Amino acid sequence: MNLAIRDIRFHRGRFILTSIGLGLLLGVVMSMGGIYRGLFADALAVLHSTKADLWVVQKDTNGPFAESSRIPEDIKYRIKSVPGVAEASPLSFQTIQIERQGKPFRFFLIGYDLRGIGGPPAILAGRNIRQKHYEMVVAKAMKMALGEKIRLGLHEYTVVGITGKVVSSSGDPAAYVSLADAQEIQFKKDNDAIRNNRERVAADLDRMQNLTQAQAQLLQRNVSDLTESTHTVNTVVARLAPGASLYEVQQRIERWNHYRAISDEGQTKILTKGMIEKARMQLGLFRIILLVISAVIISLIIYTSTLDKIRVIATLKLIGSQNRVIIGMILQQSLLMGVIAYAVGYALISLTYEKFPRRIVLEAFDLQVLFAIVVVICTVSSFVGIRKALKVEPAEALGG
Amino acid sequence: MYAIEVDNVTKIYGKGDTAVTAISHASFQVRPGELVAILGPSGSGKTTLLTAIGLINEPTHGRIIVDGVTVADDGWVPGLDLKRIRREKLGFIFQAHNLIPFLTALENVMVALEINKFPSGEAKGRAEQLLKSLNLGHRLGSYPMALSGGEAQRVAIARALANKPRVILADEPTAALDTENGKNVMALLKSLAVENHSAILVVTHDHRMVEGFDRIFEVRDGFIIRETRGAG
Ligand SMILES: Nc1ncnc2c1ncn2[C@@H]1O[C@H](COP(=O)(O)OP(=O)(O)O)[C@@H](O)[C@H]1O
Ligand SMILES: [Mg+2]
């Protein structure tokens, strides 16, 4: 016969309510762990879906995610020619916020070379982009339908495919267009003043008459560069040939002076250490606070339930119960409460995590660690009750 | 051999100016199968004497021998497992409300058996049998708060008897009962002493309740002032 369970059965209403309350608390603790893992997964989503070995960005920047980086698209040819590089592809990133159905609609637009790397990781519905212009693949989270049209810059784009969970490091869902389209959208988005200025310079140059043929041609090229300077990208990603030395390729690219070649690992570090470290610490702190609160609550509950049972404990001692019977009763109750609360928390979070606005990633390891922590908390919390119980004199069972 | 031997036992609570001598130089013996009462007004030291024999209240002086084991000799004899002696040799009955409220009548009896290493199944059978013999067969699954005072006290008696103790100690077992139920409980104790051949020591302040007892010790202010042999 298990005394802990008998007592709980007798006071089941009170026990269930407390366990549910604690369960909500533990559910919040779990969700915070999940939010952190989600931040992590979000931060690394584009990185992981790109599967590049190297990210070539503007010198002295932590681009393209943590800091802005702008490099000429042409550099892809030079990178491709570095020994050991198998593939190199330019990528452009921008955050877009427009109105859709009367609400702000925010997403992360990725422009990629249709024959290169960095495109949508998997097509869940529809197809990949086939045409050079005005087609778009969107993340499922954007909740757009196939065939839906949306105006970006000067043109209408048609959704031709839906992809999975790709988001920017700030959690905005990703959409894909061809690099040329992305560059155009980017360019049109640029400040009007800058554009006007570019046009004015172009017009001025056009009006210069007394030029030689060669000068005119040179000028013409520069003018179009200045006025239509859309051929910049944020990064060029590269994949290495098997057996190539990452370090050597990196060194070689960085010797060109204007670029930084960040390894996948380096990029991961920038994204995690730099960008989400504070959020992680904050969530961690919250989790600790909540766990301390849980511990205090469990201690209090166990302590008061021990006080309620002083007479029972005295009677048990009187009839000769071993201490382990009494310690077992209190400890088991505490553990049972913890385990039930954990189960309640887990059920709660399992049912709701997909409805959170940002990604929640529940990792088995995190949940196991939390379980172990709950067990430790329950054990330690029961000590106050146990200490009290061990001090009870059997003679306290006597009298009215 | 005696079931209980009390030899010149004195209990003094506290020290110095506030010291209270609750029992002074008490000496008596109880044989197995005997039903003995300690009768006296409130505050006369009855509970003190009973709890000293019950190994939950250390006597200051004197010797106590329970079922042949010297448990106290100017204080507890060192090295004894008092809890073990309590659960193996002693059974306790008190005023009402000493049942465990979250256990059914059956479980209240079972718990005494289980702490004495009875396997759960065996404990259940034995507890059931015991309760039935005390006319509680219809109350096995009831919680203490649903039992009448007389029923609760009979469950407590069943619990005290569970381990077939050599000695049963009862402190005011009829205090919470009306006269009729009280007399029934005392009659039950009497028959149990005879059947089980246990020594039963009952403390009471109510002289109407000691009918049929083998011997009655009267206490006043810590002294045993008189011993009466009953008719039984
Ligand atoms: N734990 C204690 N500490 C101090 N004095 C006590 C204690 N228990 C009992 N006494 C005193 O000892 C005397 C006898 O008490 P008790 O044995 O309870 O008598 P009874 O059971 O006959 O009413 C009383 O004067 C009482 O106040
Ligand atoms: Mg008393």
Side-chain angles (χ1 to χ4, degrees), chain A residues 1 3 6-7 9-10 309 311-312 315-323 325 329 394-395 398-400, chain B residues 47 51 56 83 86-87 92 94-95 97-98 100-103 107 111 114-115 120 143 145 159 171:
Chain A
M1 180 169 54
L3 292 175
R6 303 291 143 145
D7 184 26
R9 188 186 59 182
F10 191 72
K309 280 200 283 289
R311 185 107 189 194
V312 168
T315 304
L316 284 170
K317 286 189 171 186
L318 179 73
I319 64 174
S321 284
Q322 298 85 344
N323 278 339
V325 172
M329 174 172 72
L398 278 67
Chain B
T47 298
T51 51
I56 54 176
K83 278 185 182 171
R86 278 209 298 277
R87 67 176 175 262
F92 292 89
F94 297 100
Q95 287 186 30
H97 313 302
N98 62 347
I100 296 173
F102 55 80
L103 298 182
E107 290 164 347
V111 78
E114 284 183 11
I115 59 170
S120 193
Y143 285 100
M145 62 185 179
R159 182 176 70 191
D171 192 359

Side-chain angles (χ1 to χ4, degrees), chain B residues 9-26 43-45 48 60-61 220-223:
Chain B
V9 165
T10 297
K11 170 72 187 187
I12 304 166
Y13 289 111
K15 282 200 172 71
D17 291 348
T18 57
V20 176
T21 304
I23 283 292
S24 298
H25 307 287
S44 56
T48 301
T60 317
H61 301 295
R220 288 284 184 292
D221 302 326
F223 290 92

